[in-house]
Amino acid sequence: MHIVVCIKQVPDSAQIRVHPVTNTIMRQGVPAIVNPYDLYSLEEALRIKDQYGGRVTVLSMGPPQAEAALRKAISFGADDAILVTDRAFAGSDTLATSYALASAISQIEKDIPIDMIFAGKQTIDGDTAQVGPGIAKRLDMQLLTYVSKVREVDLENRTITVERRAEGGVQVLKTRLPCLVTVLEGTNEMRFATMSNMFRAARYPLKTWDKEKAGIEDLTKIGLKGSPTIVSKVFAPTPKSVKAEIIDTESNQPKDLAVTLLAKLFTKKPNLVRDIAKNAP
Amino acid sequence: MEKFDAIVVGAGPSGNAAAYTLAKAGLKVLQIERGEYPGSKNVQGAILYSDALERIIPDFRDDAPLERHIVEQRMWVLDDESYVGSTYRSAEFNREPYNRYTIIRAQFDKWFSKKVQDAGALLICETTISDLILDGNRVIGVQADREGGAIYADIVILADGVNSLLAKKAGFHPELDAKDVALAVKEIHFLPQETIESRFNIGEDEGVVIEMVGKITKGMMGTGFLYTNKESITLGVGCMLSDFKQQKTTPYALLEEMKAHPAIKPLIAGGEMKEYTGHLIPEGGYKAIPKIYGDGWLMVGDAAMFVNAVHREGSNLAMTSGRLAAETVIALKEQGKFMTEANLALYREKLDESFLMKDLKKYKEMPGILHKSPQFFTTYPELINKAAHSMLTVDGVDKKTKEREIRRNFVGKRSLFGLMGDAFKMWRAFE
Amino acid sequence: MSEDNEPRKPARRKVELDPKLAAYKGVWVFVEHERGQVHPVSWELMGEGRKLADRLGVELAGIVMGTPGPESRQFCSEAIHYGADLCYLMEDELLKDYRNEPYTKGLTDLVNSYQPEILLIGATTLGRDLAGSVATTLKTGLTADCTELAIDMENRSLAATRPTFGGSLLCTIVTLNYRPQMATVRPRVMAMPEKDGNRTGRIIEHSLGMVEESIITKVLEYIPDNLQGKPQLAFADIIVSGGRGMKKPENFQLIWDLAKVLGAEVGATRPIVQAGWVEADRQVGQSGKTVRPKLYIAAGISGAIQHRVGMEDSDVIIAINSDPNAPIFDFATYGIVGNAMVILPALTEAFRQHLSTARMAG
Ligand SMILES: Cc1cc2nc3c(=O)[nH]c(=O)nc-3n(C[C@H](O)[C@H](O)[C@H](O)COP(=O)(O)OP(=O)(O)OC[C@H]3O[C@@H](n4cnc5c(N)ncnc54)[C@H](O)[C@@H]3O)c2cc1C
Ligand SMILES: Cc1cc2nc3c(=O)[nH]c(=O)nc-3n(C[C@H](O)[C@H](O)[C@H](O)COP(=O)(O)OP(=O)(O)OC[C@H]3O[C@@H](n4cnc5c(N)ncnc54)[C@H](O)[C@@H]3O)c2cc1C
Ligand SMILES: Nc1ncnc2c1ncn2[C@@H]1O[C@H](COP(=O)(O)O)[C@@H](O)[C@H]1O
């Protein structure tokens, strides 16, 4: 079983600030992390490896610093790591990114055939959830998104059965390998790295691939050129300046506060009563 | 299991200085840091004193992330709504090589760590050393909080900062005394570079430090401080932990009041604030220094209480002690000597010869005096401010009368004997 | 969206729309439905699509894909009532459950046959799965998770605005040289349009042209959430959440009590989940669930950014916090400054009374 996991290094959005004047991202002190959603995918891949044997290769496209994300993946137990990095990729949107990653995966495939690809549900910076499906389409693979549980992998018949989160329920899907899976958050919890894997990660000779090594054939499909979407404007949201209306009564007794609040609430949202009635006992 | 020549616990300034020096000398060094990366827990701004780093990385100015070099030092004595201050600004501070800089620790520590790794040390982060591994009395390794986490080395250098858990666990260090540590909090206020430069009347790359004592600490022993970084202002206040306990107040509350002070408010107006958690500073001085070496181990930096509270120096002592510890180990290795307590006494000798111990000795009475003399933080600032106000208010009263009034105020609030005593104590402490 | 670490610099690029693509006309809205119900986001989009189509002077079409039968036709006429001029209807037994393969093929075929300039899809699990696949197959641009749509009349392009970098910035994205211009849109950000039962329109049928044997993925089972007894935070109309200010696990019962009266789901902040007071499924926030209920009651919650991003789009937020300066009051709708342990029971009682009065009033 050979699984490729696509991970992306992202700035920790919780710590991002926007320059009050220039509206640019202030990265001072903002740490880069592995996209949190990718960790669920990585852990799921590692569990499959634990259960069925095989290898896990992690793949990332990004600037040289993204090395840290890949090393982290090694520390959790991934076997190999490849960083696709080249200035030519700068400015790629999801279409171009999926093209580049799909090419790199085809190169990996030349060494060891691939049974599954895992991608994160979405990234916290791009937040599109498009790259996973994009890779699947480009490689003509079956696509299983929002997987909340891998029920079974049948190596003999080369099938996989998963539970997939749909809007109002869970679909149980069975498909053929190879396939691409994106994993729902909360599906599992990332393991704690062992000391020997920490050592291995610190010393791991990372493979870096430029566009040639990544097998990019058509240069018009990567970078800005290969990106149909164009960012025409970046701006800071006008902050929600409406502060809460603080409920205040003369007595300030809990009961009065509650009654006053409800009067305001149901005046503003008369339909709420109906919504409550739908579910209330 | 792997064995190293040396394990350094902690990747702050002291640990980095030690690991760098050891690795440069060709030793097989492992450095373990519990944070996500070096500096991850140290997001604040701080002052970097060049000399200590220059002795480790002479050309550090080429690529270290330095914010501004300090050209002006202000000292403010604050009353509730006013302050009396002195300013020292010198063109000499504007001549290279600069003597001190503001830095942002998160970036600086990362940079320093990169140098350490380039020098050949192996760094492992997100790993906490939970115990020392002992063979009798001798430290032979460390236990990390991970599966398979026992790692061995000839020498373990404890650079794990104030409140060194390891030292306590191994019994090298008594429980920290609340009298010996200050609790400090800092905030960073982000402002456009041009705003900072015009507000403080400084040019590009030039910086200002303001040290503050007085009413802001509500009689507790402590100080406030403000530094200018490139695009932000670091503002903070610290007081002795024991005082906080007694006063039942928190450093955050102090900081809030400090920010509202009419002298400070306009300096940070319009900034975007980021708040950081507090951190302890060991300020017990010379008398609080614990045992700093033993069989198989050395202690450096804040863990060893190497902080000069009077001059607000810490990282330079940390780096110096880290370097001296490493040089001790290198010297012993070269001579083929074991890392026994007797041999490691060389570290103490080196420390004693350096500015580090000399300075700490010089101020050894200081913490005690200040601790017993809250008047330095309440009464005096008030009186000094009143005096200034009186002298500077033109109201028809003659200056002589005013002087008399001021003197009466001083003696009224604190006996003449007390005043002389304070002066004498301070003189002795600074001597 | 840019995959660079920096948001891309706003670029001015020449419009070199291929004459073949210039022929693409009309605005489409994909009508998403599951288990006999249309997802409200589709109608929200229909309202939005109407505005875009009017601005461009083109027709608005609904896309309905599903099994043959009255239901699909019903959805078509509803689409028209919500503002569509026409509907493209694709009926096939293979479209019974959502599966990526047949839906991608079907929608791609429709686009290639009838050539719309804009295609809008709800940013749901289904919508995102489908949109990403269709856009890649068509090799066109897709802007995900938009919160605002407009037309840039200068070159008749769709200007799609979306949050980026965890909501700290917004960016507007255009697709100038490719068609259709695709976007997925978050549920509950666009207003629900009025329904006009008198509107009429055309229905154009198109066949899928696939056989089951050619579809590799099979649906073995569908487990609706309401049968699973699992917390349904993401879909709840009303959520009552508690934070560290609840102090003790016993006090958390007050949250459950209020939730019961309201038929609400119970949510919590991360520290509460980590302390094990409630299950992980109930965590709201960046590393938990994103929720958009009609009413969100937050008791003893400070309103840290990581919690805020998961719930700030709720219609109404009521915050109970003893600290008048708690950040949650910066964005809640109503606030009560006070001890949650006292306020919650009072609120529960007030709701109980209000509801029983309302019920009696019919
Ligand atoms: C608010 C404040 C302002 C200051 N301002 C200045 C200033 O302007 N100038 C100045 O020179 N000094 C200043 N100091 C003092 C200075 O920060 C310290 O003296 C200096 O950081 C000490 O360095 P260190 O390496 O000994 O400890 P630290 O910098 O504390 O580093 C210790 C490291 O060890 C790690 N660690 C701890 N325990 C373990 C463990 N068990 N396992 C693994 N890793 C562990 C920690 O994560 C940390 O990274 C200030 C301090 C404070 C709190
Ligand atoms: C990477 C990352 C991801 C995270 N993801 C999430 C996430 O998904 N969800 C999440 O919730 N958090 C998340 N957090 C944690 C988040 O930063 C906050 O720590 C957390 O939301 C705070 O929870 P709280 O409001 O319950 O607690 P606190 O911040 O401690 O707030 C408690 C509040 O209760 C009030 N209070 C106290 N007593 C009373 C009383 N008697 N009556 C009324 N009010 C009272 C206090 O005034 C205070 O405002 C994340 C953090 C990180 C770093
Ligand atoms: N540059 C990249 N390198 C590797 N994987 C990526 C990259 N960008 C996106 N991905 C994968 O695609 C998923 C979805 O990303 P996005 O479409 O940007 O939300 C991520 O969680 C990753 O698994």
Side-chain angles (χ1 to χ4, degrees):
Chain A
M1 172 78 60
H2 184 203
I3 306 175
V4 172
V5 183
C6 297
I7 66 171
K8 186 180 178 192
Q9 190 180 51
V10 295
D12 187 349
S13 64
Q15 301 194 36
I16 283 183
R17 285 162 309 97
V18 177
H19 195 288
V21 181
T22 59
N23 272 344
T24 48
I25 293 274
M26 290 173 73
R27 328 192 106 257
Q28 211 177 50
V30 178
I33 54 173
V34 180
N35 176 35
Y37 294 109
D38 297 349
L39 292 179
Y40 298 109
S41 291
L42 176 58
E43 174 62 23
E44 207 55 40
L46 290 171
R47 287 183 186 191
I48 292 176
K49 172 189 143 180
D50 290 345
Q51 199 176 343
Y52 303 98
R55 301 182 69 72
V56 169
T57 302
V58 278
L59 170 66
S60 188
M61 173 176 124
Q65 305 88 283
E67 165 185 350
L70 289 168
R71 283 199 194 282
K72 186 144 218 171
I74 297 275
S75 78
F76 289 127
D79 298 279
D80 275 309
I82 295 160
L83 176 63
V84 176
T85 185
D86 198 309
R87 294 217 57 80
F89 295 121
S92 296
D93 75 355
T94 55
L95 194 72
T97 301
S98 66
Y99 173 75
L101 289 173
S103 311
I105 291 168
S106 304
Q107 295 305 108
I108 297 173
E109 174 111 61
K110 285 184 182 159
D111 285 336
I112 315 173
I114 293 167
D115 302 287
M116 284 167 102
I117 298 171
F118 275 81
K121 185 188 91 170
Q122 65 197 65
T123 50
I124 59 168
D125 59 343
D127 207 8
T128 74
Q130 278 160 214
V131 172
I135 296 172
K137 286 296 140 192
R138 291 184 179 278
L139 295 173
D140 198 14
M141 269 190 193
Q142 290 302 303
L143 171 66
L144 303 170
T145 51
Y146 303 101
V147 166
S148 56
K149 188 175 179 184
V150 175
R151 278 199 180 175
E152 192 195 17
V153 181
D154 182 343
L155 280 180
E156 206 152 301
N157 296 306
R158 298 191 55 73
T159 63
I160 178 170
T161 309
V162 302
E163 293 180 11
R164 170 180 186 272
R165 160 102 341 251
E167 282 297 310
V170 171
Q171 285 184 322
V172 182
L173 298 176
K174 183 172 184 169
T175 197
R176 210 159 63 200
L177 298 181
C179 66
L180 186 142
V181 177
T182 77
V183 176
L184 199 66
E185 68 273 21
T187 294
N188 52 42
E189 206 178 316
M190 180 46 83
R191 62 197 56 200
F192 200 59
T194 63
M195 202 63 219
S196 63
N197 274 336
M198 292 299 286
F199 276 123
R200 201 165 63 81
R203 291 173 169 147
Y204 180 80
L206 201 80
K207 297 187 183 104
T208 45
W209 287 2
D210 57 10
K211 58 181 191 298
E212 283 79 28
K213 278 199 184 139
I216 305 297
E217 279 156 13
D218 188 347
L219 286 181
T220 66
K221 288 188 175 161
I222 59 168
L224 270 179
K225 256 210 177 80
S227 303
T229 60
I230 299 165
V231 177
S232 70
K233 195 166 74 173
V234 179
F235 55 105
T238 28
K240 230 195 212 167
S241 55
V242 272
K243 295 208 168 190
E245 176 182 348
I246 300 293
I247 305 297
D248 226 340
T249 64
E250 224 147 81
S251 71
N252 267 338
Q253 284 305 305
K255 181 161 179 253
D256 297 344
L257 289 172
V259 170
T260 311
L261 169 67
L262 293 205
K264 286 187 191 265
L265 174 67
F266 288 115
T267 311
K268 183 172 166 143
K269 297 274 166 188
N271 289 344
L272 254 181
V273 175
R274 219 185 44 213
D275 293 317
I276 294 174
K278 257 195 327 212
N279 304 302
Chain B
M1 193 61 221
E2 277 202 54
K3 185 160 174 243
F4 292 83
D5 290 330
I7 293 174
V8 178
V9 183
S14 66
N16 282 337
Y20 180 86
T21 310
L22 291 167
K24 267 271 174 223
L27 270 65
K28 187 176 171 196
V29 182
L30 172 67
Q31 190 180 25
I32 303 233
E33 164 60 43
R34 83 178 150 192
E36 206 172 317
Y37 52 87
S40 59
K41 300 255 159 65
N42 278 314
V43 207
Q44 319 100 329
I47 305 289
L48 172 77
Y49 306 93
S50 308
D51 176 70
L53 182 56
E54 224 163 17
R55 287 170 195 260
I56 300 164
I57 305 178
D59 53 358
F60 78 91
R61 290 182 180 85
D62 292 351
D63 54 0
L66 306 168
E67 295 278 308
R68 292 173 180 275
H69 62 272
I70 308 298
V71 297
E72 180 178 312
Q73 178 100 19
R74 301 183 196 169
M75 176 80 201
W76 288 1
V77 181
L78 295 119
D79 193 10
D80 291 329
E81 292 202 311
S82 58
Y83 73 88
V84 174
S86 66
T87 300
Y88 181 66
R89 184 172 182 139
S90 165
E92 208 184 316
F93 281 147
N94 243 339
R95 263 174 234 133
E96 292 182 69
Y98 305 124
N99 174 265
R100 55 181 72 180
Y101 297 89
T102 48
I103 52 168
I104 305 272
R105 276 287 299 274
Q107 285 154 19
F108 177 80
D109 284 13
K110 233 189 207 166
W111 167 85
F112 201 171
S113 172
K114 174 89 187 359
K115 295 275 166 194
V116 173
Q117 293 173 71
D118 290 347
L122 188 68
L123 169 71
I124 296 214
C125 291
E126 286 184 281
T127 302
T128 304
I129 298 304
S130 49
D131 269 310
L132 296 174
I133 303 176
L134 296 175
D135 177 8
N137 257 341
R138 195 162 69 94
V139 173
I140 56 168
V142 296
Q143 179 66 46
D145 62 341
R146 295 185 180 278
E147 191 190 314
I151 318 158
Y152 299 91
D154 292 337
I155 182 99
V156 173
I157 296 183
L158 300 174
D160 56 341
V162 61
N163 213 3
S164 168
L165 289 177
L166 293 177
K168 259 183 273 172
K169 269 205 170 145
F172 305 147
H173 210 300
E175 197 60 45
L176 269 186
D177 188 334
K179 284 202 315 309
D180 291 338
V181 280
L183 179 57
V185 285
K186 274 189 193 178
E187 282 178 0
I188 285 195
H189 293 253
F190 287 89
L191 282 164
Q193 186 172 341
E194 313 78 61
T195 309
I196 294 180
E197 284 159 12
S198 68
R199 248 178 224 183
F200 289 86
N201 186 28
I202 44 179
E204 210 185 327
D205 297 335
E206 298 174 355
V208 170
V209 171
I210 308 178
E211 302 267 1
M212 295 170 244
V213 293
K215 283 294 206 40
I216 44 166
T217 59
K218 299 192 178 324
M220 300 188 287
M221 171 176 165
T223 53
F225 47 88
L226 183 155
Y227 322 132
T228 55
N229 307 314
K230 192 117 240 163
E231 289 201 299
S232 58
I233 289 173
T234 299
L235 185 69
V237 62
C239 291
M240 299 314 288
L241 194 56
S242 49
D243 287 354
F244 278 122
K245 280 190 183 153
Q246 213 170 15
Q247 291 257 343
K248 298 205 169 54
T249 181
T250 65
Y252 287 107
L254 285 189
L255 192 56
E256 282 308 310
E257 285 186 35
M258 190 172 146
K259 283 190 292 185
H261 194 285
I264 298 167
K265 201 171 169 184
L267 295 179
I268 53 171
E272 199 206 339
M273 191 267 280
K274 204 155 183 197
E275 186 179 285
Y276 296 108
T277 41
H279 196 283
L280 296 173
I281 313 181
E283 296 201 341
Y286 186 76
K287 291 181 172 175
I289 296 174
K291 186 173 180 203
I292 51 173
Y293 61 93
D295 282 338
W297 65 277
L298 287 164
M299 198 184 288
V300 297
D302 277 8
M305 292 260 175
F306 293 155
V307 167
N308 182 341
V310 176
H311 287 274
R312 201 161 266 302
E313 293 174 24
S315 60
N316 53 333
L317 280 65
M319 289 181 204
T320 302
S321 57
R323 172 175 62 85
L324 294 178
E327 286 172 3
T328 303
V329 172
I330 295 164
L332 295 184
K333 281 254 165 194
E334 274 170 0
Q335 296 161 22
K337 288 187 183 160
F338 290 114
M339 303 292 158
T340 59
E341 180 162 346
N343 290 337
L344 290 167
L346 178 62
Y347 173 48
R348 178 71 203 213
E349 280 167 36
K350 285 178 184 281
L351 285 171
D352 282 339
E353 280 164 22
S354 79
F355 81 94
L356 189 154
M357 281 299 180
K358 287 181 187 155
D359 279 359
L360 288 177
K361 258 187 214 156
K362 172 165 151 58
Y363 296 116
K364 68 172 185 271
E365 301 300 341
M366 213 40 198
I369 293 175
L370 293 178
H371 211 70
K372 288 192 214 93
S373 322
Q375 64 273 17
F376 283 114
F377 302 97
T378 46
T379 319
Y380 288 159
E382 187 186 324
L383 291 173
I384 291 167
N385 275 274
K386 279 220 178 98
H389 186 80
S390 166
M391 287 310 270
L392 294 173
T393 307
V394 178
D395 54 3
V397 180
D398 66 282
K399 298 291 185 274
K400 198 153 197 171
T401 310
K402 284 190 179 190
E403 269 180 24
R404 215 175 305 133
E405 179 68 18
I406 290 167
R407 206 169 308 132
R408 213 176 11 248
N409 268 339
F410 268 82
V411 182
K413 291 262 179 175
R414 184 140 169 81
S415 74
L416 199 57
F417 188 69
L419 278 177
M420 285 171 61
D422 286 347
F424 182 68
K425 278 192 274 185
M426 287 302 272
W427 173 68
R428 282 249 324 254
F430 273 98
E431 190 194 30
Chain C
M1 232 337 267
S2 167
E3 289 298 321
D4 247 353
N5 266 336
E6 295 290 339
R8 268 179 292 156
K9 289 265 167 344
R12 282 232 72 78
R13 268 200 273 168
K14 274 217 305 283
V15 188
E16 305 159 3
L17 196 56
D18 193 298
K20 267 190 267 158
L21 293 176
Y24 280 55
K25 279 280 171 305
V27 178
W28 284 14
V29 172
F30 178 79
V31 178
E32 170 178 344
H33 60 93
E34 206 165 29
R35 311 279 128 179
Q37 274 200 324
V38 174
H39 197 294
V41 69
S42 304
W43 302 145
E44 293 160 15
L45 280 180
M46 204 59 87
E48 199 61 22
R50 186 68 263 167
K51 290 184 219 155
L52 300 179
D54 289 347
R55 188 115 166 83
L56 288 166
V58 296
E59 284 191 314
L60 172 68
I63 309 300
V64 176
M65 299 170 70
T67 45
E71 197 178 83
S72 301
R73 302 212 164 240
Q74 165 68 25
F75 294 156
C76 287
S77 55
E78 261 189 275
I80 290 164
H81 295 160
Y82 276 112
D85 296 307
L86 73 160
C87 261
Y88 293 97
L89 173 63
M90 181 177 276
E91 289 179 316
D92 196 306
E93 282 301 338
L94 302 186
L95 297 173
K96 178 167 174 294
D97 287 290
Y98 173 75
R99 280 182 291 175
N100 180 272
E101 220 174 341
Y103 271 79
T104 301
K105 170 161 190 312
L107 187 52
T108 308
D109 274 0
L110 284 170
V111 168
N112 286 332
S113 311
Y114 303 100
Q115 309 189 331
E117 60 202 291
I118 291 175
L119 170 54
L120 306 177
I121 301 179
T124 59
T125 55
L126 186 161
R128 285 184 163 213
D129 184 283
L130 179 62
S133 306
V134 169
T136 312
T137 312
L138 294 169
K139 308 273 185 297
T140 189
L142 164 60
T143 308
D145 222 19
C146 301
T147 51
E148 209 185 309
L149 299 174
I151 299 290
D152 177 356
M153 281 313 274
E154 198 188 319
N155 39 36
R156 286 177 65 91
S157 65
L158 176 69
T161 298
R162 63 183 308 261
T164 179
F165 284 98
S168 32
L169 284 179
L170 294 173
C171 63
T172 302
I173 293 177
V174 293
T175 300
L176 297 180
N177 302 330
Y178 300 79
R179 291 292 180 270
Q181 307 158 78
M182 291 180 61
T184 61
V185 177
R186 288 193 188 189
R188 296 218 180 148
V189 290
M190 305 297 181
M192 182 63 90
E194 289 295 322
K195 197 170 174 177
D196 175 1
N198 294 323
R199 277 184 65 94
T200 54
R202 291 164 285 146
I203 293 181
I204 297 173
E205 293 182 41
H206 194 93
S207 63
L208 172 64
M210 279 182 107
V211 289
E212 181 62 45
E213 290 64 41
S214 68
I215 304 174
I216 295 169
T217 300
K218 310 289 176 198
V219 181
L220 303 187
E221 204 183 337
Y222 183 89
I223 313 163
D225 287 325
N226 47 17
L227 298 182
Q228 280 201 316
K230 277 223 177 134
Q232 290 306 310
L233 255 57
F235 306 95
D237 281 334
I238 301 165
I239 295 175
V240 185
S241 274
R244 195 143 58 179
M246 294 307 294
K247 303 263 164 55
K248 283 187 277 185
E250 301 87 89
N251 293 339
F252 216 79
Q253 186 57 38
L254 299 174
I255 301 282
W256 288 101
D257 293 347
L258 176 55
K260 186 156 177 230
V261 167
L262 296 175
E265 278 293 352
V266 166
T269 60
R270 191 166 80 163
I272 301 302
V273 168
Q274 280 174 346
W277 299 2
V278 300
E279 60 262 56
D281 275 348
R282 299 197 181 276
Q283 181 177 322
V284 173
Q286 183 186 309
S287 46
K289 296 246 166 6
T290 300
V291 299
R292 288 192 178 83
K294 294 184 173 141
L295 175 62
Y296 190 93
I297 303 179
I301 292 177
S302 60
I305 183 71
Q306 296 88 355
H307 188 77
R308 177 176 175 169
V309 295
M311 46 68 82
E312 67 183 333
D313 289 332
S314 308
D315 274 2
V316 176
I317 298 170
I318 297 177
I320 305 167
N321 197 304
S322 51
D323 172 9
N325 295 321
I328 192 143
F329 291 130
D330 293 344
F331 60 96
T333 325
Y334 299 110
I336 294 186
V337 179
N339 182 350
M341 269 48 89
V342 187
I343 304 291
L344 276 174
L347 201 56
T348 306
E349 190 46 40
F351 266 118
R352 198 196 313 274
Q353 280 185 6
H354 191 103
L355 293 173
S356 68
T357 323
R359 215 163 284 155
M360 272 188 294

